[in-house]
Every structure is written in C-alpha cells, then in structure tokens.
Amino acid sequence: MSIRRHAIAFAAALAVLSVSAPALAQEKLKVLATFSILGDFVKNVGGDRVEVTTLVGPNSDAHVFSPAPADAKRVAAAKVIVTNGLGFEGWMARLMRASGTKAAPVVATKGIKPRKQAAHGHSHGHDDTDPHAWQSVANAKVYVANIQAALIAADPGGKAAYEANAKAYLAKLDALDKEVREAVAAIPKDRRRIITSHDAFGYFQAAYGVEFIAPQGVSTESEASARDVGRIITQIKRQKIPAVFLENVTDPRLIQRIAAESGAKVGGQLYSDALTDEKGAAPTYIDMIRYNIKQLVSALATS
C-alpha cells in the first residue's frame, strides 16, 4: 500500500507541474508597443520577462495606420502601453478610448527635445513637430531609459533583469553611435546631402551632419505638391546632389520621378519608420541604422 500511495502522490505532483508550467509561462508582463521600432526597444529591455505585441508591424506605415477591432482588444489586454508621442500616433487616443484600457501610456520620447520640421508650405496635421526622434542613436538611449523605468514600475520584481538588459543594450547603442560617426566622416563634406521620400531623417541630420531633403513633410499622409517636386529637382541640379533614396514605407514612384527628371541616381532604399521582418535587411533597430549608413556611404563616399 505504501508503494501505491507514493505512486498516487507522484502522479498528483506531475499533474500539478503540468498545470503550473503553462500558468508560469503566462505570467510574462504584457507590453504593447505602437510600432516595430518601439517593439524592438521593449524586447531588448524586457527580455524573457515580457510578452511584446506591436500594433503597426514590419514594413508598415504608422502615419496612415487604421486600427481594427482586434487592435482594441490588444490594447485592452496590455499592462504596459508604449507610444512614441510627438504626434506620431494620431490614432492612438481614440483606440485607447475604444479599448477601455486602464493602462496609462508610456511616452518613450519623454525628455527628448522635439525638432520642428522645416516649412514646405503645407500642413501635416500635427503642428509640424517631427516625431522621428529614434533616428538619432543618442535619442534611442532616452527611449531605452524611459522603457526601463516603465517596466520596473509595472514589474518591480524584474528590476535587476531590466537594468542589466538595458545596460547591455545601451553599450551596443554607444558602439553603434561611434560606428555611424566614423562612417559619416568618410564621406566628403560637400557630398553629405541626399533626397529621400519624406522628412523622416531630421534627427539623424542634426546628430551626424548628413543633409536630407524631402518633398513630403514629416508625415506620409501628405502628398508633395508639384511646386515642392520642381523645387527639389532644381536644387538637385544646382547643388549636384548625388543620390536620391527610397523608403520602405512610402510609394517609390515619387522618388523615381525625381531621379529621372534630375539625373540623380537612386542610391537604394532606406528604413525610416519601420523595421523589416526577420528575413529583411533591418529586423532590429541596430540593423536598421547600420544598413542605412552603409547605403549612404555607398552612394555618397565616391562619385
């Protein structure tokens, strides 16, 4: 009988383990990030303690995103909601109201000095504040600090893990920033200017000294006017701007037309507002910045 009792107890213990294992797996902190670049920051800081959901996925444009009912459910399920702010997610306030979420949004750009977009003679619907702050690696470090603080506030037991993860990632960002500066230094100063689809690289320009000229403003929702396009074609010819670049979230026809009419070469594709999927060239933020700078150096460093 003693052996039989032990067998029953052992079976009962196994049953408890089989129930508790998935329960433990479900205890990850549910974090919702509004778009793919933020999602990557959260994964790097959160590590194994978080389950990250991203609303606007790879190669998708957050400027023109239209939430579906399923997105409201994702927002409602999240314990932490990470947004970019600076007018980037104009649809987010409505989505949060629709979801009934009790979670307060974390604004990842808190503490970053906003850049104002240079006036192109047309409005972009959110006071011309440039939301693309992640294009400066120094700003990306501010994003990471804000995300770390938010995760610790929501999950104090993970404080040591979040701090260690953030420290390791910040070291990688420091190395990336140095890499970008060294690469730009290899480009002759008079060649450090390009044309790209929309004004998404202002923070990169301010940080690293490469001039970006865009026919569209800071949002892809607006269409470039004929006057804007004509002005840029004239500028390309006058300043001998060597290359124009496509973006993964915009219609390529505008840049192709400018290239054809100006004689500038299409230097390739840059990643601005979205990462690629795992099979693409820029599945992480670090991959994205590294890919972009290689594209720029390739097009600008030599004639």
Side-chain angles (χ1 to χ4, degrees):
M1 287 293 292
S2 174
I3 292 173
R4 186 162 180 263
R5 274 201 303 272
H6 281 305
I8 291 170
F10 182 67
L14 283 177
V16 169
L17 282 173
S18 67
V19 170
S20 61
L24 286 171
Q26 290 169 10
E27 288 175 5
K28 289 188 176 187
L29 182 66
K30 291 184 182 295
V31 185
L32 180 134
T34 51
F35 68 114
S36 56
I37 293 168
L38 277 188
D40 184 53
F41 290 151
V42 175
K43 287 172 188 173
N44 275 283
V45 179
D48 294 337
R49 296 186 69 92
V50 300
E51 178 187 319
V52 184
T53 301
T54 303
L55 284 178
V56 185
N59 291 314
S60 298
D61 186 358
H63 289 295
V64 296
F65 177 68
S66 182
D71 295 316
K73 291 181 181 178
R74 292 189 187 102
V75 172
K79 298 298 182 190
V80 179
I81 297 170
V82 183
T83 68
N84 185 78
L86 302 180
F88 189 60
E89 308 99 336
W91 35 265
M92 192 61 188
R94 295 190 304 276
L95 180 57
M96 290 187 67
R97 283 196 299 272
S99 74
T101 180
K102 299 293 188 288
V106 176
V107 180
T109 54
K110 181 182 177 184
I112 291 173
K113 183 180 179 181
R115 169 189 173 269
K116 294 293 182 182
Q117 176 228 356
H120 284 306
H122 50 265
S123 170
H124 304 292
H126 48 71
D127 77 8
D128 285 349
T129 295
D130 184 351
H132 308 89
W134 60 85
Q135 289 292 348
S136 155
V137 179
N139 284 347
K141 293 170 65 177
V142 178
Y143 280 70
V144 169
N146 286 329
I147 289 166
Q148 176 190 312
L151 296 183
I152 290 172
D155 175 25
K159 183 174 187 289
Y162 297 138
E163 287 177 344
N165 291 345
K167 183 178 179 181
Y169 188 55
L170 289 170
K172 291 180 182 178
L173 293 179
D174 282 334
L176 179 67
D177 186 67
K178 183 181 178 187
E179 190 179 321
V180 174
R181 292 181 188 284
E182 289 174 352
V184 171
I187 303 172
K189 285 188 177 179
D190 63 345
R191 292 181 62 83
R192 293 178 194 171
R193 59 170 68 92
I194 67 161
I195 306 292
T196 189
S197 312
H198 87 291
D199 192 6
F201 296 94
Y203 292 93
F204 188 102
Q205 175 175 316
Y208 305 113
V210 177
E211 183 182 359
F212 288 79
I213 302 145
Q216 284 178 300
V218 295
S219 172
T220 56
E221 287 180 286
S222 63
E223 288 193 13
S225 68
R227 188 204 299 180
D228 285 336
V229 173
R231 175 179 55 78
I232 282 175
I233 290 169
T234 300
Q235 186 174 2
I236 290 171
K237 291 177 177 177
R238 187 178 67 246
Q239 297 182 347
K240 297 182 173 59
I241 294 171
V244 296
F245 281 85
L246 308 170
E247 290 173 50
N248 65 324
V249 297
T250 55
D251 188 332
R253 288 174 295 183
L254 174 64
I255 284 296
Q256 288 164 347
R257 177 187 153 202
I258 289 172
E261 294 186 24
S262 69
K265 71 175 180 178
V266 176
Q269 185 178 64
L270 297 178
Y271 295 101
S272 56
D273 294 13
L275 303 177
T276 65
D277 59 22
E278 289 300 321
K279 295 178 182 176
T284 72
Y285 173 77
I286 289 176
D287 290 332
M288 178 186 81
I289 297 293
R290 189 170 282 148
Y291 179 87
N292 283 351
I293 194 62
K294 284 179 181 175
Q295 292 285 95
L296 293 174
V297 169
S298 176
L300 303 181
T302 57
S303 299

